[in-house]
């Protein structure tokens, strides 16, 4: 029960942040990329959370940053879930050599130290916001693939799948129409956690200067910029840090709530 | 068991080939080449072309790959462009430092997360559970570059208890084994703490979830119904089963640990392999990148193999090699 | 519940930051220790920002490696605080009237660190190794003039003669190349020799230890020919993260660190650290690709110069620690001249020029390399400044090697519009490789700058030996380039270095650094 409350709380936070992101131009008092005041000013009535090292309004940047960070999380996770579900479903449903081939590929991908894989692909694509999403997406689908394969292995033996096959449904139909809806729950849980992971990965990429590029704000690159000023302007870090924390916590609570709900149903 | 291990070891060969093939091509598709390091107006571009040819970079990528592979099969991983030294020597030199951080971080994480996860699960919804949840998430959401520097400011500058960076006290002359060991431990504390805090959240969450799931199972209810003391139920029946998924997760978290090590090695000036690898990528030092990727992939695979063996140890139902 | 969580995080952040808050602002004088307190067993700790790759001066290409090499090796000549070339391993030298034959007379009291005598053969061996195409030395072209190598030979044990195919003024500076020992390297593959990790030189310090990725040690050379060094040991500690490096300086674990502008005020107020400032031979610029139709018209380039508020750039990017740049030379160079068009900040004039050129709706992309905070900041600020005159700028951040791949592609026309980079200038004003039209597309004239007058003067500058005549030539070159404005020159940074108060015997602050006479440096107990 407590879990569900937390899940609802998480969901409302996320909805709230999404609203911030969508209505950023209305909410943000300043242009997030414009130099509007002296640099590194502390919080004041004009600039609620102070200004950054350029003299830009931190509150406005955080609001626009929500747009970018949430989009990065959402798109990256959509990519990883799509690849993971497709490959996992094929492997689990067909078995045999299809399965071996796909799962060996998964093993290969899982053997790379993640940072090298991300960096080399990122170097190939050059860093911009779209590529950040793509790179995080294509380097984080392996867990989902394993998970989905497991579900398909279980479900394909169930009698209703047998029945569907007996009445001549195509493989494509069985995979996507019959089995997928029943494997939904763990996939959605994985997606919420994956989105939290993607937001954190973007901030790690920012450390290398390979994340979302300036002047666009993301919570990750705002934190990275703040690192150099942690002693002279500590307020620069508080807002992006808090936003990342709350978002990650919310996503986790949602995931937990969903997991519990799906367990109860089964 | 033995046949299982041998079979798994043999499977490593195609996996390593796959890893090397993918990284070789991705690497060469990335724009730029190692001579980019030499931009200085006094260097004639003709010189750069000459050096490139000396390195064999004027050949097609596929030929370069087979050339590389052929050398590796003969035990030669090539020489680093920048230092002119054998790649193998450079990698092996850096490996101990990385392992020195990774293995203890791994073990400490395990030692903390298991009890933490178990108690959180038992006391689900209590203040203890909530505080643990929040603290571990703060650890997870706080980027390592941030946390590391904060710890350094607090413990090295403000309190003066611990050294800031590096692996040993460079001013000390030849110390005895005990003194140098203490010195090493002192240098390890901050990076190790940072690394542990970062990986705490994920694992303790998994442990908690696994424990919760197990506690709902029929055999636990039966055990309770039999009137066994709660302590026995939890530690003898529940924990053992809840450890199984953790072993798998530990194996899966290895690549991330390798990646995370890079930032920590940079912040704390720790002479490990992660730092070398990222630098090699930026410098397009191809032979070194390949050496590091293949080596870390091998380590990750071996780690996974160990996890699988551990799996068999904690789960009496699994017997490898009999199937 | 949630509010408690928020409060915990806030508290943690503020606690950790607050307890290390900045000290009170005191602007204190530099206090240097007296020589009488020098510690005969003193050890100095330098920080290096990157890995040391190789300790062989003819092969290394990175500043970290050269920093260490500078303590171990020495060359025939060196520079002093005024950036003049002075004798080192060579006692004196003379140039023939035609400027083609240079004779160096070497010191006879010099020994290698392994006690073998240093002779003219070593010098000749060094230059021949650089010129050997099989050796991966990027310095090779320094000793090739119009396709012909300089011939080095030993006239006797202590006399070296260099025969140049034609007069070449920059050669004097280049004669300072560090010398490597023939007896240890002859007949070996220099690219992979063990020597490169256990170097033997003639410098003030002897190589002692290299723990890869962690630190290097060099110890006093008691037989050093310029006098016995006062320090017993120098340690180079590798600290890749710039912020961590400052923390280590503050904690007293290292003795010297470069200080970024943002930390200047705080470092200056710290007890126990002397902060030195001096000008450096570096400039940062916005390069405009003239081969691109958008920038083919000189008026467009001049308009951008007028639209650039250099004062704001210096204030925001460098926190005032630098000055606006107007020409491709630096004020501290002897060949500098400020008789150039300066394009003072004037947005209206910029708009008018753009209108005249029919480029009111100019839009372009600035490329810059990832990881350089200053250039990134400059780009973001330029984007704002140019917006005020109606020019739309997009930014594209690339990895260093990816950026070079674009601007340094050996075929024209090159596919880019503008980029931000910097040049660090050599001691000799020769700028042939950057501005001569033959250096496009293969070369460092990335932007296709072409001016017949400049071409001619650049060639003349190289073959003229008389300093005052050269000064005039270069003044004319700078003037013409500023008029053409192929780059919008942005700034000259001031170098700021923090040094622990226990360090003494430093040379006068200047672009050559504070450690020119390393043998005189000491630390107190």
């Amino acid at each position: 029960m407590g879990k569900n409350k937390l899940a609802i709380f998480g969901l409302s936070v996320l909805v709230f942040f999404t609203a911030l992101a969508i209505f950023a131009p209305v909410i943000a008092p300043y242009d997030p990329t414009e130099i509007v005041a002296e640099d590194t000013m502390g919080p004041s009535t004009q600039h609620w959370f102070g200004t950054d090292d350029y003299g830009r309004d931190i509150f406005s940047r955080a609001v626009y940053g929500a747009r970018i960070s949430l989009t990065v999380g959402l798109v990256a996770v959509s990519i990883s879930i799509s690849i993971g579900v497709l490959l996992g479903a094929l492997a689990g449903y067909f078995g045999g050599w299809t399965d071996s081939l796909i799962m060996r590929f998964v093993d290969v991908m899982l053997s790379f130290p993640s940072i090298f894989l991300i960096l080399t692909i990122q170097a190939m694509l050059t860093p911009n916001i779209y590529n950040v999403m793509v790179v995080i997406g294509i380097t984080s689908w392996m867990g989902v693939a394993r998970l989905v394969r497991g579900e398909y292995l279980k479900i394909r033996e169930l009698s209703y799948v047998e029945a569907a096959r007996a009445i001549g449904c195509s493989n494509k139909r069985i995979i996507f129409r019959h089995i997928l809806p029943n494997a939904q729950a763990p996939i959605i849980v994985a997606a919420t956690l994956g989105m939290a992971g993607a937001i954190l990965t973007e901030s790690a990429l920012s450390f290398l200067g390979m994340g979302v590029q300036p002047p666009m704000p993301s919570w990750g690159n705002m934190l990275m910029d703040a690192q150099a000023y942690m002693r002279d302007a500590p307020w620069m870090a508080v807002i992006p840090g808090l936003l990342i924390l709350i978002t990650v916590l919310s996503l986790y609570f949602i995931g937990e709530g969903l997991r519990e709900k799906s367990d109860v149903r089964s | 068991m033995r046949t299982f291990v041998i079979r798994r070891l043999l499977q490593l060969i195609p996996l390593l080939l796959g890893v090397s093939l993918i990284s070789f091509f991705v690497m060469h598709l990335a724009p730029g080449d190692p001579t980019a390091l030499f931009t200085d107006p006094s260097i004639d571009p003709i010189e750069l072309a000459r050096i490139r040819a000396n390195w064999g970079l004027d050949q097609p990528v596929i030929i370069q790959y087979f050339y590389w592979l052929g050398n590796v099969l003969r035990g030669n991983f090539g020489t680093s462009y920048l230092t002119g030294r054998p790649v193998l020597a450079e990698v092996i030199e850096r490996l101990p430092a990385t392992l020195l951080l990774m293995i203890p971080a791994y073990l400490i994480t395990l030692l903390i997360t298991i009890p933490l996860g178990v108690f959180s699960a038992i006391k689900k919804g209590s203040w203890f559970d909530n505080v643990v949840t929040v603290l571990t998430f703060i650890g997870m959401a706080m980027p390592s570059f941030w946390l590391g520097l904060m710890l350094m400011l607090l413990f090295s500058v403000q309190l003066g208890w611990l050294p800031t960076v590096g692996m040993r006290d460079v001013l000390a002359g030849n110390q005895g084994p005990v003194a140098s060991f203490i010195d090493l431990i002192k240098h390890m504390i901050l990076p190790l703490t940072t690394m542990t805090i970062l990986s705490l959240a994920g694992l303790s969450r998994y442990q908690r979830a696994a424990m919760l799931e197990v506690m709902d199972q029929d055999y636990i209810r039966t055990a309770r119904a039999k009137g066994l003391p709660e302590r026995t139920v939890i530690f003898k029946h529940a924990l053992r089963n809840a450890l199984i998924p953790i072993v798998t997760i530990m194996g899966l978290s290895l690549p991330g640990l390798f990646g995370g090590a890079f930032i920590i090695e940079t912040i704390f000036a720790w002479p490990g392999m992660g730092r070398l690898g990222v630098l090699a990528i930026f410098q397009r030092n191809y032979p070194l990148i390949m050496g590091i990727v293949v080596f870390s992939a091998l380590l990750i695979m071996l780690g996974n193999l160990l996890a699988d063996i551990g799996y068999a140890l904690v789960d009496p139902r699994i017997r490898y090699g009999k199937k | 519940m949630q509010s408690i969580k928020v409060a915990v995080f806030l508290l943690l952040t503020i606690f950790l930051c607050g307890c290390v808050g900045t000290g009170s602002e005191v602007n204190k004088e530099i206090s240097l220790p007296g020589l009488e307190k020098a510690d005969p067993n003193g050890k100095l700790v330098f920080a290096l920002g990157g890995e040391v790759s190789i300790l062989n001066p003819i092969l290394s290409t990175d500043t970290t490696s050269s920093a260490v090499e500078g303590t171990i090796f020495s060359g025939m000549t060196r520079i002093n605080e005024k950036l003049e070339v002075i004798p080192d391993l060579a006692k004196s030298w003379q140039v023939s009237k035609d400027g083609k034959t240079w004779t160096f007379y070497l010191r006879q009291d010099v020994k290698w660190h392994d006690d073998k005598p240093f002779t003219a053969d070593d010098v000749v061996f060094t230059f021949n190794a650089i010129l050997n195409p099989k050796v991966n030395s990027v310095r090779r072209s320094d000793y090739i003039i119009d396709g012909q190598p300089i011939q080095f030979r030993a006239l006797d044990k202590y006399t070296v003669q260099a025969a140049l195919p034609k007069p070449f003024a920059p050669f004097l500076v280049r004669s300072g190349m560090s010398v490597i020992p023939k007896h240890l390297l002859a007949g070996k593959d220099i690219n992979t020799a063990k020597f490169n990790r256990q170097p033997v030189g003639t410098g003030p310090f002897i190589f002692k230890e290299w723990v890869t990725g962690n630190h290097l040690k060099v110890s006093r050379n008691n037989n050093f020919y310029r006098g016995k060094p006062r320090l017993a040991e120098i340690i180079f500690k590798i600290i890749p993260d710039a912020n961590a490096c400052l923390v280590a300086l503050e904690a007293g674990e290292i003795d010297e660190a470069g200080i970024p502008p943002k930390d200047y005020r705080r470092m200056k107020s710290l007890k126990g650290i002397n902060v030195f400032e001096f000008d450096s031979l570096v400039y940062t610029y916005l390069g405009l690709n003239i081969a691109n139709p958008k920038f083919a018209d000189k008026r467009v380039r001049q308009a951008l110069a007028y639209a650039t508020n250099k004062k704001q750039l210096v204030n925001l990017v460098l926190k005032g620690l630098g000055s606006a740049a107007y020409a491709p030379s630096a004020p501290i160079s002897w060949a500098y001249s400020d008789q150039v068009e300066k394009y003072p900040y004037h947005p209206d004039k910029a708009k008018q020029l753009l209108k005249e050129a029919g480029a009111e709706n100019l839009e372009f992309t600035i490329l810059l390399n990832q990881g350089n905070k200053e250039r990134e900041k400059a780009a973001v600020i330029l984007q704002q400044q140019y917006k005020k005159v109606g020019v739309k700028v997009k930014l594209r951040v690339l990895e260093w090697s990816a950026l070079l791949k674009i601007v340094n592609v050996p075929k024209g026309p090159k596919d880019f519009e503008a980029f931000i980079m910097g040049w660090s200038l050599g001691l000799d004003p020769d700028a042939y490789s950057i501005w001569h039209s033959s250096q496009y597309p293969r070369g460092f004239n990335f932007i296709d700058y072409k001016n017949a007058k400049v071409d001619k003067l650049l060639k003349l500058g190289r073959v003229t030996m008389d300093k005052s005549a050269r000064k005039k030539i270069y003044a004319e070159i700078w003037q013409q380039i500023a008029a053409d404005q192929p780059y919008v020159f942005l700034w000259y940074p001031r170098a700021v270095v923090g040094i622990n108060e226990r360090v003494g015997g430093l040379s006068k602050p200047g672009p050559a650094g504070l450690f020119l006479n390393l043998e005189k440096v000491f630390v107190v107990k």
Side-chain angles (χ1 to χ4, degrees):
Chain A
M1 191 56 219
K3 268 280 112 83
N4 267 335
K5 250 194 230 156
L6 284 178
I8 289 168
F9 170 80
L11 197 62
S12 8
V13 168
L14 221 57
V15 168
F16 176 68
F17 282 177
T18 313
L20 268 188
I22 293 171
F23 299 109
V26 187
I27 295 163
Y30 301 95
D31 181 331
T33 56
E34 194 154 4
I35 296 162
V36 289
E38 289 284 297
D39 53 321
T40 54
M41 283 199 322
S44 66
T45 45
Q46 272 113 48
H47 304 283
W48 300 346
F49 297 120
T51 61
D52 69 2
D53 52 329
Y54 291 80
R56 300 176 299 199
D57 183 54
I58 291 178
F59 175 66
S60 307
R61 287 181 67 73
V63 171
Y64 275 91
R67 216 178 229 202
I68 287 161
S69 289
L70 294 179
T71 315
V72 167
L74 201 66
V75 175
V77 109
S78 312
I79 295 172
S80 75
I81 294 284
S82 312
I83 303 176
V85 167
L86 186 69
L87 291 181
L90 292 177
Y93 183 75
F94 289 110
W97 66 266
T98 320
D99 183 29
S100 316
L101 200 71
I102 292 176
M103 291 328 281
R104 287 300 80 75
F105 182 51
V106 168
D107 287 343
V108 166
M109 292 294 284
L110 274 176
S111 306
F112 281 102
S114 42
I115 194 95
F116 296 146
L117 194 59
I118 292 178
L119 276 185
T120 29
I121 298 180
Q122 183 74 311
M124 187 169 84
L125 295 176
T126 78
N128 66 40
I129 177 163
Y130 307 105
N131 288 336
V132 169
M133 300 177 198
V134 171
V135 167
I136 298 176
I138 59 177
T139 52
S140 60
W141 53 270
M142 291 80 81
V144 180
R146 281 198 172 169
L147 186 95
V148 172
R149 170 178 175 267
E151 290 295 312
Y152 271 69
L153 279 178
K154 242 189 317 187
I155 299 174
R156 74 167 182 192
E157 306 298 337
L158 296 180
S159 49
Y160 83 92
V161 177
E162 292 291 324
R165 220 175 271 139
I167 60 169
C169 288
S170 69
N171 282 335
K172 197 170 134 195
R173 200 178 160 80
I174 295 175
I175 290 176
F176 293 107
R177 285 290 162 81
H178 295 264
I179 303 184
L180 191 57
N182 285 299
Q184 236 175 38
I187 296 175
I188 293 174
V189 175
T192 53
L193 296 179
M195 185 164 163
I199 292 174
L200 292 174
T201 306
E202 194 275 323
S203 81
L205 277 178
S206 292
F207 177 77
L208 292 164
M210 303 287 267
V212 171
Q213 295 301 320
M216 246 189 252
S218 79
W219 295 340
N221 69 22
M222 286 176 75
L223 252 188
M224 181 54 210
D225 285 351
Q227 186 216 12
Y229 290 86
M230 71 196 294
R231 316 182 63 183
D232 303 307
W235 59 85
M236 277 174 69
V238 175
I239 293 311
L242 267 181
L243 289 173
I244 292 183
L245 174 66
I246 296 173
T247 309
V248 171
L249 261 177
S250 304
L251 283 165
Y252 176 74
F253 287 147
I254 297 172
E256 283 284 274
L258 286 172
R259 194 203 309 264
E260 208 152 274
K261 212 169 140 223
S262 68
D263 280 352
V264 170
R265 197 194 50 192
S266 68
Chain B
M1 193 71 180
R2 207 164 81 204
T3 40
F4 165 75
V5 173
I6 291 171
R7 210 182 62 212
R8 283 290 304 267
L9 284 174
L10 285 177
Q11 277 173 3
L12 294 187
I13 297 167
L15 285 187
L16 279 174
L17 272 179
V19 166
S20 72
L21 196 70
I22 293 178
S23 38
F24 201 91
F25 280 89
V26 170
M27 193 173 79
H28 277 90
L29 280 175
D33 75 63
T35 53
L37 294 170
F38 307 151
T39 302
D40 172 331
S42 61
I43 300 169
D44 194 320
I46 294 163
E47 301 306 310
L48 300 186
R50 177 178 57 84
I51 291 170
R52 222 174 277 142
N54 281 357
W55 284 335
L57 292 175
D58 47 353
Q59 304 282 326
V61 179
I62 186 83
I63 292 180
Q64 287 185 48
Y65 177 73
F66 282 110
Y67 188 73
W68 175 83
L69 193 64
N71 279 331
V72 166
L73 292 179
R74 272 175 266 136
N76 174 8
F77 277 81
T79 45
S80 158
Y81 292 154
L82 225 63
T83 62
R85 296 173 64 217
V87 166
L88 206 59
E90 299 224 315
V91 171
I92 286 172
E93 187 174 68
R94 294 301 193 97
L95 200 57
T98 296
L99 294 180
L100 202 60
L101 275 191
M102 266 180 70
I103 294 173
Y106 212 58
L107 295 178
I108 294 172
T109 309
L110 208 62
L111 278 179
I112 298 177
T113 50
I114 292 177
L116 216 57
V118 169
F119 285 114
S120 286
I122 299 171
K123 311 252 181 213
K124 184 181 146 193
S126 69
W127 67 268
F128 177 83
D129 182 24
N130 285 331
V131 168
V132 168
T133 305
V134 174
L135 286 181
T136 49
F137 270 97
I138 289 176
M140 187 169 151
M142 198 158 12
S144 45
F145 52 83
W146 181 259
L147 180 65
L149 214 59
M150 277 219 243
L151 291 175
M152 210 190 283
L153 283 173
L154 182 62
F155 289 102
S156 309
V157 177
Q158 210 61 25
L159 299 171
W161 292 349
L162 294 167
T164 50
V165 292
M167 207 170 148
R168 59 167 94 166
D169 183 1
V170 291
L171 284 176
N174 277 332
Q175 301 164 303
V178 179
S180 59
F181 181 70
I182 293 173
D183 183 46
L184 177 67
I185 297 290
K186 269 190 180 168
H187 280 86
M188 272 171 75
I189 293 176
L190 289 182
L192 208 55
T193 309
T194 314
M195 219 160 164
T196 309
I197 291 179
L198 291 173
S199 47
L200 223 51
L203 276 178
S204 66
R205 293 290 96 192
Y206 273 110
Q207 179 66 64
R208 182 176 171 279
M211 196 69 189
L212 279 177
E213 203 168 292
V214 172
M215 297 286 278
D216 261 357
Q217 301 289 319
D218 289 341
Y219 60 88
I220 297 293
R221 289 201 197 120
T222 319
R224 275 194 181 133
K226 272 200 296 193
L228 289 178
E230 191 65 14
R231 191 181 272 269
T232 319
V233 173
I234 290 167
F235 290 103
K236 229 174 147 194
H237 298 264
L239 182 57
R240 183 153 193 187
N241 287 294
L243 278 180
I244 299 168
I246 294 306
V247 172
T248 331
I249 295 295
M250 290 295 281
L252 284 181
S253 67
L254 270 174
L257 210 55
F258 252 101
F262 155 70
I263 294 180
I264 287 165
E265 286 172 5
T266 305
I267 297 278
F268 289 102
W270 193 263
M273 211 164 73
R275 214 171 91 197
L276 187 69
V278 171
L279 202 67
I281 291 177
F282 283 140
Q283 296 173 335
R284 304 283 188 272
N285 195 339
Y286 300 135
L288 191 57
I289 302 177
M290 289 308 292
I292 289 176
V293 167
V294 168
F295 255 78
S296 16
L298 185 66
L299 280 179
I300 290 169
M301 289 170 187
L302 291 177
N304 276 318
L305 180 58
L306 277 181
D308 286 347
I309 294 170
Y311 218 89
L313 293 180
V314 289
D315 189 349
R317 286 170 303 181
I318 297 173
R319 287 280 176 271
Y320 289 115
K322 291 232 170 124
K323 218 164 74 178
Chain C
M1 180 63 217
Q2 197 54 34
S3 61
I4 297 173
K5 293 177 186 173
V6 171
V8 169
F9 181 75
L10 262 176
L11 269 178
L12 200 78
T13 317
I14 291 165
F15 165 68
L16 285 175
C17 296
C19 66
V20 292
T22 49
S24 58
E25 200 88 13
V26 254
N27 257 345
K28 53 180 182 24
E29 293 295 306
I30 285 173
S31 74
L32 287 169
L35 182 57
E36 66 285 352
K37 281 190 259 164
D39 177 1
N41 298 314
K43 296 174 179 179
L44 182 75
V45 186
F46 279 121
L48 296 174
E51 314 281 338
V52 174
S53 55
I54 195 165
L55 289 180
N56 184 332
I58 75 166
L59 295 177
S60 68
T61 52
D62 52 325
T63 48
T64 26
S65 299
S66 1
V68 182
E69 283 159 5
T71 66
I72 301 169
F73 294 95
S74 56
M76 289 197 291
T77 58
R78 60 182 193 129
I79 48 161
N80 66 7
E81 290 158 357
K82 287 183 231 148
L83 297 182
E84 293 156 343
V85 177
I86 56 167
D88 197 4
L89 284 172
K91 290 179 295 197
S92 62
W93 59 86
Q94 63 185 50
V95 195
S96 67
K97 272 224 178 80
D98 62 0
K100 287 186 0 187
T101 311
W102 294 63
T103 314
F104 294 87
Y105 304 97
L106 305 179
R107 297 176 75 119
Q108 309 192 357
D109 57 346
V110 181
K111 280 190 170 156
W112 290 98
H113 294 160
D114 61 359
D115 257 0
K116 296 270 179 342
F118 159 82
T119 68
D121 283 343
D122 293 309
V123 178
V124 174
F125 173 77
T126 301
F127 288 107
N128 285 343
I130 294 171
L131 286 165
N132 179 353
K134 282 271 172 273
V135 175
N136 291 336
S137 175
V138 294
R139 302 262 68 103
R140 184 167 177 256
S141 49
D142 287 357
Y143 306 98
I144 294 181
I145 303 162
D146 288 348
Q148 279 183 289
I150 297 172
Q151 308 272 342
F152 292 88
R153 67 196 177 99
L155 294 184
D156 61 45
K157 209 172 165 197
Y158 296 105
T159 313
V160 174
Q161 194 178 66
L164 280 59
K166 53 158 69 171
F168 190 62
F171 177 67
L172 181 58
V173 170
R174 293 177 189 179
S175 67
M177 182 73 211
S178 290
V179 180
I180 52 175
K182 182 184 179 188
H183 68 279
L184 291 174
L185 284 164
K188 300 228 168 83
D189 176 5
I190 294 180
N191 294 331
T192 56
K194 285 243 160 52
F195 175 88
N196 302 341
R197 265 186 86 80
Q198 304 149 5
V200 170
T202 48
F205 289 86
I206 300 173
F207 171 81
K208 195 170 160 198
E209 180 181 47
W210 181 352
V211 178
T212 316
N214 200 62
H215 72 268
L216 293 98
K217 271 185 194 172
V218 294
S219 62
R220 170 159 54 208
N221 174 8
N222 286 317
N223 301 322
F224 185 53
Y225 54 88
R226 282 185 344 233
K228 183 171 151 181
R230 292 168 180 163
L231 286 169
E233 220 170 57
I234 297 179
I235 294 144
F236 295 90
K237 199 168 174 170
I238 297 162
I239 308 181
D241 186 75
N243 291 309
C245 186
L246 286 183
V247 174
L249 177 69
E250 232 175 287
E253 284 181 31
I254 57 173
D255 290 311
E256 186 250 6
I259 294 177
K262 68 181 174 57
D263 294 290
Y264 173 73
R265 271 171 58 196
R266 192 166 42 79
M267 293 314 278
K268 207 146 172 160
S269 70
L270 280 181
K271 260 195 223 126
I273 291 167
N274 283 323
V275 176
F276 297 90
E277 297 163 41
F278 46 86
D279 291 314
S280 51
L281 277 166
V282 176
Y283 69 90
T284 301
Y285 63 91
L286 171 72
L288 305 169
N289 186 5
I290 300 173
N292 188 302
K294 285 183 186 174
F295 298 113
D297 190 328
K298 185 155 84 177
R299 286 171 299 185
V300 175
R301 306 193 302 261
Q302 289 169 332
L304 288 181
Y306 279 122
T308 308
N309 183 346
K310 294 178 186 175
K311 206 175 141 215
Q312 188 189 30
L313 278 174
V314 171
N315 282 339
L316 278 175
V317 179
L318 305 174
K319 305 277 174 205
L321 289 164
S323 50
Y326 305 103
S329 173
I332 45 166
S333 160
W334 60 262
Y336 180 75
S337 143
D338 80 338
Q339 297 302 305
V340 296
E341 179 59 59
K342 290 200 170 115
Y343 306 96
Y345 180 54
H346 203 320
D348 291 334
K349 217 166 185 172
K351 273 189 214 159
Q352 191 200 331
L353 274 170
L354 284 171
K355 205 171 162 192
E356 279 170 26
E360 295 105 316
N361 300 317
L362 182 65
E363 267 187 59
F364 67 97
T365 304
I366 297 180
L367 306 179
L368 58 155
N369 65 305
Q370 164 268 117
N372 187 318
K373 199 69 208 161
E374 286 174 4
R375 290 178 196 168
E376 190 182 303
K377 258 185 147 166
V380 170
I381 295 163
L382 283 178
Q383 192 179 34
Q384 296 273 313
Q385 294 181 352
Y386 292 166
K387 202 164 108 187
K388 293 203 179 103
V389 297
V391 174
K392 256 174 101 179
V393 173
K394 278 194 227 141
L395 307 183
R396 194 164 155 225
V397 186
L398 298 156
E399 256 186 83
W400 177 242
S401 54
L403 171 63
L404 272 188
K405 187 90 191 167
I406 295 176
V407 301
N408 201 12
V409 59
K411 297 195 292 276
K414 299 185 182 186
D415 185 25
F416 70 91
E417 291 163 344
F419 62 90
I420 295 181
M421 255 192 222
W423 284 126
S424 79
L425 302 161
L427 292 169
D428 191 275
D430 175 37
Y432 183 88
S433 55
I434 300 178
W435 300 109
H436 196 270
S437 61
S438 68
Q439 304 300 303
Y440 177 92
R442 214 178 250 283
F444 293 112
N445 183 354
F446 299 137
I447 47 139
D448 195 16
Y449 178 66
K450 232 181 290 171
N451 185 305
K453 185 175 149 203
V454 170
D455 277 359
K456 212 180 84 207
L457 288 169
L458 280 169
K459 283 208 153 164
L460 189 62
R462 289 184 130 188
V463 297
T464 307
M465 293 291 147
D466 179 61
K467 204 163 169 177
S468 63
R470 283 188 88 196
K471 193 171 154 78
K472 258 194 225 138
I473 294 170
Y474 286 104
E476 221 177 314
I477 295 175
W478 310 149
Q479 193 178 28
Q480 183 59 47
I481 291 175
D484 292 334
Q485 203 68 193
Y487 291 173
V488 176
F489 302 98
L490 300 177
W491 69 69
Y492 305 110
R494 257 173 101 66
V496 183
V497 177
I499 292 183
N500 195 304
E501 268 180 9
R502 70 190 196 102
V503 183
L506 303 169
S507 44
K508 218 176 92 216
L514 297 156
F515 297 93
L516 265 181
N517 302 308
L518 209 50
E519 71 279 10
K520 297 212 170 99
V521 176
F522 62 91
V523 293
V524 292
K525 270 187 194 153

